[in-house]
Amino acid sequence: MDNMFKLCGFWTGIFAVMFFVGDMLPATVIFVASTIFFLLLGYLNLTERMYMYMFGAYLMIFMVGFSYYATFIHVPGAGH
């Protein structure tokens, strides 16, 4: 299970680089934070149950944050 978190860290790192190249700095910061989180968890050698709890907590925080952003902050149709 720890290898899957390292793999998630790798891919979120790739996405962070792509967002940086595309000059999307807020998305870059989010993906760099996710990369650090996943790599940190990947090297902790926790039990599989704890890894599942941590991933569930990550998804919960992401969905709450995304829903808040989409509902209250994002202006549809407004460019940047």
Side-chain angles (χ1 to χ4, degrees):
M1 196 69 165
D2 57 338
N3 287 332
M4 291 309 296
F5 276 88
K6 292 174 189 174
L7 182 68
C8 286
F10 170 77
W11 283 112
T12 54
I14 294 295
F15 274 86
V17 169
M18 297 297 237
F19 281 128
F20 182 73
V21 170
D23 199 32
M24 300 179 194
L25 293 182
T28 302
V29 172
I30 291 169
F31 274 82
V32 166
S34 292
T35 300
I36 293 169
F37 175 75
F38 283 138
L39 288 178
L40 176 73
L41 281 179
Y43 286 105
L44 284 181
N45 294 324
L46 301 173
T47 63
E48 189 167 344
R49 176 179 287 192
M50 189 51 116
Y51 277 123
M52 294 305 291
Y53 286 149
M54 294 300 286
F55 190 65
Y58 173 80
L59 291 179
M60 173 84 87
I61 291 169
F62 172 80
M63 285 307 298
V64 168
F66 180 77
S67 299
Y68 178 81
Y69 173 79
T71 304
F72 299 111
I73 297 175
H74 181 70
V75 179
H80 79 101

